[in-house]
């Protein structure tokens, strides 16, 4: 008879958090980190710069993942005998901090901040940065990361700001700075425009009311153009309709109408419920130049506008009717076409997305809430064919998640045409790991437009731009010394508590050309300028050029894939501008952390909090 097999007791789970804490205590008691630094002090350097984490909230596990990679590489280099650079970085300015402070103090937008006081708001932003940089440092220590935490860099310091002023001065000398009016992605809640690299990846599948609308031709109101849009609010700013001269168009009738409709032949199926009958087919070129009555001709803003059909090769019939409503003040492509065709540019809404005067019953209404009423008004005017909900990919604000609009606004840009070939060449000299990250960077550079660097906000880099109202002279201040030299009252420069709004706005300069007092522009800078300058502001470029030479170029940086269009790009742009080459030799990029359903982890979406995870599974699991 066989003996019964004895079941072995299940192995006890290791007490991971206890092991972590014993190791942390051991390092502390034996001063292990400082002993390592002392041993390696005179050895060849490992030139590393930390990509700054935003000091705005406690960490999630997706932040810890990236920090473990940096820690592993630095430890490896230290074990190989290199003297390592252990400076941690904190990103401290921009919309992400402002939005969280707004929540803290009960503000719902820019008007509330202005009533609260910009000085108090700026101090609250600084307090938030101080609080969460301490928390993140404590969490990183708990993770087991070795850094010189008392020597971290912060992007809101005057040193960092002055570094960016130096860069912008160079851009001005190169003739790259320009202010121009463009329809920008605009967040009505935050009251600011957003740049291309901020908008990338910020689309969501949303439902909006779409309308098919017919407009009578001026020479024969019984013949009507059929147009389609998913943004009914923009119909108030219409100045043209676009057709593709190479496509075939049809004029159709229906027992339900007392007029005919003109649309692309390939779009007829979209109105099949009206049993349309094709009367004739013709080339789109036949429509070019015809004039029509716009959607709301009674609006004061539409008076004296010539509404005509224009040619546009990008028109197709995959969506809509094959005749496109054109509002040059509400869309980038519309604006470009408008410039080619000499069309009027009408911007119907203000900073908060509210309609301006001149738009009749819409005046004072918010663009986000008028779609149904616009459709109702068009139906009453006999111009609405049908309306329906339409699901499409639509951009939202990367920070507050409000739906954005496109709004014609004056912004500051760095022209990229001249530097683009140099950026591409510099990127090709970098060792990208894995290889496809380098291909993503080259694709981004090939397709990038001018860099929009201005934001109409508060807690950020004050753009050092001064435009004289008397003679038009444009001055860019490149240093504190230059600001003091040009200042109407130099003592005010010495008295500045920091280079932020509203304090910096109390310093006027004398126009170098006509000597009249000049006030700084109101805008602050794109937060990616803050992070892009760190290869210079943190390595002694502006203080000790000889010491900087030993730290430059950076040997290795490491961040997630998304930073191709963000930190890696801004560093590359600023590096090529300042020193003629990429500021880094090797770039390691990793994929984002995702949930079981495939959605990415983020502070504003789904995430697992670091503190919760580390106390359950320990730091080694991450």
């Amino acid at each position: 008879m066989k003996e019964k097999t004895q079941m072995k007791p299940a192995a006890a789970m290791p007490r991971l958090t206890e092991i972590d804490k014993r190791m942390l205590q051991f390092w502390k008691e034996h001063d292990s980190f400082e002993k390592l630094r002392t041993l390696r002090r005179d050895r060849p350097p490992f030139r590393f710069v930390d990509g700054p984490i935003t000091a705005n909230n406690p960490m999630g596990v997706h932040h810890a993942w990236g920090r473990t990679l940096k820690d592993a590489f630095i430890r490896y280099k230290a074990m190989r005998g290199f003297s390592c650079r252990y400076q941690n970085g904190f990103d401290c300015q921009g919309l992400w901090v402002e939005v969280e402070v707004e929540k803290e103090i009960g503000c719902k937008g820019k008007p509330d901040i202005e009533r609260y006081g910009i000085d108090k708001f700026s101090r609250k932003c600084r307090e938030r940065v101080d609080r969460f940089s301490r928390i993140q440092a404590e969490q990183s220590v708990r993770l087991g990361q070795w850094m010189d935490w008392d020597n971290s860099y912060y992007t809101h310091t005057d040193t960092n700001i002055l570094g960016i002023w130096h860069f912008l001065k160079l851009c001005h000398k190169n003739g790259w700075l320009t202010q121009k009016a463009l329809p920008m992605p605009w967040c009505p809640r935050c009251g600011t425009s957003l740049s291309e690299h901020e908008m990338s990846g910020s689309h969501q599948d949303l439902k909006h009311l779409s309308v098919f609308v017919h407009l009578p031709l001026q020479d024969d109101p019984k013949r009507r153009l059929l147009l389609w849009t998913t943004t009914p609010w923009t119909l108030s700013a219409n100045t043209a309709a676009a057709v593709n001269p190479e496509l075939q168009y049809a004029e159709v009738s229906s027992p339900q109408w007392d007029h005919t409709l003109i649309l692309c032949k390939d779009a007829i199926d979209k109105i099949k419920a009206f049993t349309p009958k094709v009367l004739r087919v013709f080339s789109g070129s036949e429509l070019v130049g015809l004039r029509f009555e716009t959607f709301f001709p009674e609006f004061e803003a539409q008076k004296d506008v010539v509404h005509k059909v224009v040619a546009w090769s990008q028109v197709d019939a995959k969506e809509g009717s094959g005749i496109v409503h054109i509002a040059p003040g509400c869309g980038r492509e519309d604006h470009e076409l408008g410039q080619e065709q000499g069309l009027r540019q009408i911007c119907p809404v203000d900073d908060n997305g509210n309609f301006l005067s001149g738009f009749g019953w819409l005046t004072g209404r918010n663009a986000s809430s008028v779609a149904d009423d616009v459709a109702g008004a068009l139906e009453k005017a006999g111009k609405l064919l049908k309306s329906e909900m339409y699901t499409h990919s639509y951009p939202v604000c990367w920070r507050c998640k409000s739906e954005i609009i496109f709004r014609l606004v004056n912004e500051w840009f760095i022209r990229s045409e001249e530097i683009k070939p140099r950026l591409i060449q510099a990127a090709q000299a970098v060792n990208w790991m894995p290889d496809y990250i380098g291909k993503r960077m080259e694709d981004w550079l090939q397709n990038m437009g001018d860099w929009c660097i201005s934001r109409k906000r508060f807690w950020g880099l004050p753009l050092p731009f001064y435009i004289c109202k008397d003679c038009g002279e444009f001055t860019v201040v490149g240093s504190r010394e230059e600001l003091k030299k040009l200042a109407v009252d130099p003592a005010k420069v010495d008295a500045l508590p920091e280079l932020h709004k509203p304090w910096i706005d109390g310093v006027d300069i004398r126009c170098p050309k006509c000597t009249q007092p000049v006030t700084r522009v109101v805008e602050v800078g794109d937060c990616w300028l803050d992070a892009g300058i760190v290869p210079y502001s943190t390595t002694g470029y502006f203080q000790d050029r000889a010491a900087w030479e030993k730290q430059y170029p950076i040997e290795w940086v490491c961040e997630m894939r998304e930073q191709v269009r963000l930190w890696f790009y801004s560093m590359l742009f600023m590096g090529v501008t300042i020193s003629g080459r990429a500021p880094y030799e090797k770039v390691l990029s990793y994929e984002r952390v995702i949930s079981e359903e495939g959605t990415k982890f983020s502070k504003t979406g789904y995430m697992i909090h670091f503190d919760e995870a580390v106390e359950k599974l320990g730091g080694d699991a991450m």
Side-chain angles (χ1 to χ4, degrees):
M1 184 177 174
K2 294 182 178 179
E3 294 183 7
K4 290 183 179 180
T5 303
Q6 293 289 326
M7 296 292 291
K8 294 182 179 179
M13 281 290 289
R15 295 189 293 272
L16 299 175
T17 57
E18 291 182 21
I19 295 171
D20 283 356
K21 289 170 183 176
R22 285 205 306 270
M23 184 59 69
L24 290 170
Q25 186 62 30
F26 177 87
W27 289 342
K28 184 177 180 179
E29 288 176 358
H30 294 274
D31 205 13
S32 303
F33 175 62
E34 287 304 323
K35 285 179 178 175
L36 174 64
R37 295 183 72 196
T38 300
L39 283 170
R40 300 290 186 261
R41 184 162 293 151
D42 298 322
R43 302 299 299 274
F46 173 51
R47 303 182 311 280
F48 161 79
V49 167
D50 182 39
I53 183 173
T54 309
N56 194 29
N57 281 293
M59 289 201 306
V61 296
H62 55 298
H63 301 110
W65 159 232
R67 293 172 96 71
T68 64
L69 288 173
K70 296 174 190 178
D71 197 47
F73 270 77
I74 294 172
R75 286 174 184 271
Y76 168 75
K77 284 292 185 176
M79 291 168 71
R80 292 294 303 272
F82 288 89
S83 172
C84 295
R85 191 162 183 270
Y86 292 97
Q87 188 178 37
N88 172 77
F90 289 112
D91 218 349
C92 308
Q93 297 181 143
L95 195 54
W96 32 33
V97 177
E98 289 193 61
V99 169
E100 293 300 319
V101 171
E102 285 183 64
K103 293 176 184 176
E104 281 184 21
I105 62 179
C107 290
K108 295 182 179 179
K110 284 172 63 177
D112 288 347
I113 295 172
E114 288 162 348
R115 284 190 289 269
Y116 179 78
I118 298 173
D119 55 343
K120 291 194 292 182
F121 183 75
S122 292
R123 291 190 183 99
K124 282 288 184 182
C125 289
R126 179 180 283 274
E127 288 171 10
R128 185 174 183 87
V129 166
D130 290 345
R131 181 165 78 253
F132 284 104
S133 61
R134 287 194 299 270
I135 290 171
Q136 289 174 348
E138 291 166 0
Q139 290 178 314
S140 300
V141 169
R142 175 64 186 85
L143 176 66
Q145 185 179 14
W146 277 10
M147 281 282 186
D148 182 5
W149 300 108
D150 293 333
N151 190 36
S152 294
Y153 73 81
Y154 299 80
T155 63
H156 67 318
T157 61
D158 286 358
T159 299
N160 214 62
I161 289 171
L162 290 168
I164 302 166
W165 282 15
H166 173 82
F167 162 74
L168 293 173
K169 183 80 172 183
L170 290 177
C171 290
H172 181 47
K173 288 179 178 178
N174 292 334
W176 296 346
L177 292 181
T178 183
Q179 188 183 35
K180 55 186 175 182
L182 277 181
M184 295 294 298
W186 184 273
C187 177
R189 196 220 70 84
C190 297
T192 188
S193 58
L194 307 168
S195 66
E196 285 183 50
H197 49 254
E198 289 172 320
M199 293 307 302
S200 181
S202 65
H203 287 63
Q204 296 179 0
D205 286 337
L206 299 175
K207 284 187 177 182
H208 288 115
L209 184 72
S210 68
V211 292
F212 283 85
V213 189
H214 44 86
L215 301 178
L217 294 173
Q218 283 189 0
D219 61 356
D220 185 357
K222 290 294 184 181
R223 301 176 69 214
R224 300 193 171 194
L225 305 173
L226 184 66
L227 292 82
W228 173 79
T229 184
T230 59
T231 53
W233 71 272
T234 66
L235 299 179
S236 62
N238 168 262
T239 59
V243 298
N244 190 329
E246 304 300 322
L247 294 180
Q248 292 293 299
Y249 286 77
E251 186 166 357
V252 302
S253 63
S254 167
Q256 303 178 46
W257 312 327
D258 62 356
H259 53 78
T260 61
L261 287 185
I262 298 170
L263 71 163
C264 188
K265 180 185 174 184
D266 295 338
I268 291 177
D269 277 354
K270 292 167 187 172
I271 60 168
K272 61 185 178 181
F274 298 91
T275 60
K277 177 183 178 182
V278 177
L279 303 179
R280 70 186 188 98
V281 176
F282 52 93
S283 170
S285 59
E286 184 178 315
L287 297 169
V288 176
L290 294 179
R291 296 188 179 187
F292 61 90
E293 179 183 290
T294 191
F295 303 92
F296 300 106
E298 71 276 14
F299 287 174
E300 187 65 30
Q302 288 287 357
K303 301 298 183 185
D304 303 322
V305 178
V306 176
H307 299 87
K308 63 181 180 180
V309 179
V310 297
W312 195 19
S313 60
Q314 295 186 36
V315 174
D316 60 39
K318 292 177 182 177
E319 296 178 311
S321 66
I323 304 179
V324 178
H325 143 62
I326 302 298
C330 303
R332 185 66 62 85
E333 294 83 6
D334 294 28
H335 182 266
E336 292 172 359
L337 180 65
Q339 287 189 312
E340 293 173 10
Q341 299 285 344
L343 303 176
R344 182 82 67 88
Q345 300 175 8
I346 301 175
C347 180
V349 295
D350 65 12
D351 288 10
N352 302 310
N354 296 324
F355 276 90
L356 300 164
S357 60
F359 292 90
W361 59 271
L362 283 171
T363 296
R365 300 279 302 277
N366 193 272
S368 65
S369 62
V370 300
D372 289 334
D373 290 341
V374 168
L378 291 168
E379 184 173 26
K380 187 176 180 180
K383 293 179 177 178
L384 181 70
L385 180 68
K386 66 173 181 174
S387 62
E388 57 192 15
M389 297 305 295
Y390 182 77
T391 301
H392 58 154
S393 179
Y394 191 85
V396 298
C397 175
W398 63 277
R399 195 65 242 163
C400 74
K401 306 307 178 185
S402 298
E403 294 182 20
I404 68 103
I405 59 176
F406 277 81
R407 176 174 177 265
L408 186 66
V409 62
N410 275 313
E411 296 289 6
W412 290 96
F413 293 83
I414 302 176
R415 293 191 181 101
S416 63
E417 184 178 356
E418 184 180 326
I419 196 175
K420 182 183 289 191
R422 293 155 57 188
L423 293 175
I424 294 170
Q425 183 178 11
Q428 289 171 344
V430 174
N431 181 5
W432 300 92
M433 300 172 282
D435 289 344
Y436 75 83
I437 294 296
K439 294 180 173 64
R440 289 180 70 93
M441 174 58 84
E442 185 166 351
D443 182 65
W444 172 258
L445 296 175
Q446 292 283 4
N447 292 284
M448 74 179 190
D450 294 343
W451 184 356
C452 178
I453 59 167
S454 56
R455 302 290 181 272
K456 290 175 169 50
R457 290 294 302 190
F458 308 105
W459 177 246
L461 154 82
L463 292 177
F465 302 163
Y466 297 79
I467 305 173
C468 181
K469 294 180 180 178
D470 290 273
C471 71
E473 179 73 3
F474 174 42
T475 303
V476 177
V477 174
S479 66
R480 185 188 291 270
E481 292 73 26
E482 186 180 358
L483 179 64
K484 188 173 180 179
K485 181 180 178 181
L486 292 172
V488 173
D489 183 357
K492 285 189 174 182
V493 179
D494 292 332
L496 284 172
E498 56 190 87
L499 296 177
H500 279 107
K501 290 171 69 75
W503 303 283
I504 186 67
D505 294 330
V507 178
D508 289 349
I509 69 166
R510 292 271 179 208
C511 175
K513 188 174 181 180
C514 72
T515 72
Q516 290 299 308
V518 187
T519 301
R520 193 189 72 85
V521 301
V522 299
E523 290 88 354
V524 297
D526 177 8
C527 61
W528 292 105
L529 291 166
D530 300 349
I533 199 65
V534 298
Y536 300 90
S537 62
T538 67
T539 55
Y541 179 86
F542 301 105
Q543 295 82 28
D544 184 345
R545 197 64 59 88
W548 173 80
E549 292 285 354
K550 297 177 182 179
Q551 293 287 338
Y552 193 87
I554 303 163
E555 182 176 345
W556 182 80
V557 293
C558 172
E559 293 296 335
M560 69 172 292
R561 168 170 57 86
E562 199 171 42
Q563 298 302 327
V564 165
R565 60 180 171 84
L566 298 170
W567 190 50
F568 300 154
Y569 165 68
S570 62
M571 281 196 295
L572 181 67
F573 198 115
M574 298 173 93
V576 171
T577 300
I578 293 172
S579 54
R581 59 154 297 160
Y584 38 69
E585 295 176 337
K586 302 171 186 174
V587 176
L588 174 67
S589 191
Y590 53 90
E591 287 296 326
R592 60 175 50 137
V593 178
I594 60 173
S595 69
E596 292 91 334
E597 290 77 27
T599 56
K600 70 174 183 177
F601 279 29
S602 70
K603 290 177 188 171
T604 53
Y606 176 81
M607 66 176 283
I608 296 173
H609 293 281
F610 170 82
D611 290 338
E612 177 186 352
V614 78
E615 290 307 318
K616 286 185 177 180
L617 297 175
D620 282 343
M622 279 176 275

